[in-house]
Amino acid sequence: MTIAIEAHGIAKRFRRVEVLRDLDLAVAAGSVFGLLGPNGAGKTTTIDIFTTLVRPDAGTAVVAGADVRRDPDGVRARISLTGQSAAVDQVLTGRENLVMLARLSGLGRRAGRARADELLERFDLADAAARPVSGYSGGMRRRLDLALSLVVPTRVIFLDEPTTGLDTRSRGELWRVVREVADAGATVFLTTQYLEEADRLADRIAVLDRGRIAAEGTASELKARVGGEVVQLLGPDDEVLAERSTDGTVHGLRAAVDEFDRTAASTADGARVAIRRPSLDDVFLAITSGPAEPARRADLIGSKG
Amino acid sequence: MTMSTLIDAVTGPSAPAPAPPALRMRPRGLTAEAVLIRRSITHSLRDTEALLMAVLLPTLLMLLFTFVFGGALDPSGGYVDYVVPGIILLCAGFGASSTALYVARDMTTGIIDRFRTMPMRASAVLTGHVVASVLRNLFATGVVIGVALLVGFRPTATPAEWLAAVALIALYILAITSLFAAIGLAASSPDAANAYGFILLFLPYLSSAFVPVDTLPDWLAWFAEHQPITPVIEAIRSLLTGTLMGDAAWWAVGWCVLFVAIAAVWGGRLFRRRARRR
């Protein structure tokens, strides 16, 4: 297995705030790697360090074979970044954006124009190519943003919360594109707050919490860590009245149901029991200090052992 | 958009197996600067409001100062010859101020991060804005001079003096644009950039641009005499209409070079600092 990104003991603080501490990470070449974490966990700082925007205070990071500190231009030659705010020029047209980036990536005039047309066609932007980007929809802007990252087919592509603010359809479109980019051989490193996104896209997932990797593995490995089936008590309109994680055994399920039995809610009209597989949500809540209600978190963690 | 077309988009057409990943090359020579100058010029040309302002403002100011104030300030009708250099600098300052806005906008959107993660001089973005501003404001200067000639401006300059005057105006535009670019880097948002830059636009009023310095109250006269705009005005006036030059040219060039240097050092530091954190 070739390693596309390897980080050891990365630390970064801004003034008094310790954003990353002792972060270790390895990403296999050709895979999609999802970095998951609540707001403020240090996801963007991690990307900033890997893409040479920010220098780490301590630790080493090697991206596509080049050290981010000693050879930043070597890293830059081999990566593309699609940041959180769309890095497109609003005044220029879609084609002008692509040609500009091609020229800035060392392509000649003719080659740049050819590459731009190719990408416009393939990202379904040919009809809008001559229109200023300011008139594009959010989804089109994101597609152009990603096309700009692919002007040169670099080895590693960084996506910082690529689908934030997109509607469901545009999100689905973008997921497909990212998957296809990875299938073509590039390594994709993405951060996200959406668990579904990580579940659908990422081969491996790392959960970042308070500047450290709190857990790492495939989605099913992570889910297995939380335990077995989750027992839910549902109200008449399918609303969740109570929820217990179990170890998946008959005894465990019965204990959870017994526990519901002792609550007043279980006797309400139309109340019933349902069982579901643990989701990445459960993993996230169990592992991070994220924006979960404390009571529910305590439930999850308390019933784990 | 099918899977195979997307794979083509990444690896090039008809590639059965993933092609070896390409390297992003460093643009040769001054290509980055040329590309980004072109970008900024396109921005200027598409900003129709700013473009309209660049033509309207000099025209209106010229007409205002010649026909409304001119008669009171110099009943003999010679005020137009006096006021042209002042209006040129006023318009250039106004036109250059949008540089702060453009720079701040680039620094607060993702586009600068994209350039910074490429093997190129990211500062070429600033070069682009500065050069576009110089060209834009030389155009506005042309409008001022054109309108001035129509309303009775009678310059006495030889071709060499014209050349020197235009060179000095260009140097002044470069100086004030550089300052505005640095302000754009220092500002936390495009709106803030706009607000800070406002102060610079007042300087021409407190100089010899519109009235001779000796008509001002003593304390103001001292300031007007020694502030950087006055020697620039006096030098341009002398070149165009043959008034007394004195040492104005040296002071004018000195001030402008000093401001370019200050803006370059200050802006360079700000640019590197903002590189580390948005």
Side-chain angles (χ1 to χ4, degrees), chain A residues 9 13 54-55 84 111 122 156 166 168 172 221 267:
Chain A
R13 65 168 57 234
V54 166
R55 283 173 72 92
Q84 238 175 75
R122 280 158 193 176
V156 185
L166 289 190
T168 321
E221 277 168 15
T267 59

Side-chain angles (χ1 to χ4, degrees), chain B residues 153-168:
Chain B
F153 177 45
R154 292 297 168 259
T156 58
T158 64
E161 284 170 333
W162 269 110
L163 206 65
V166 171
L168 181 56

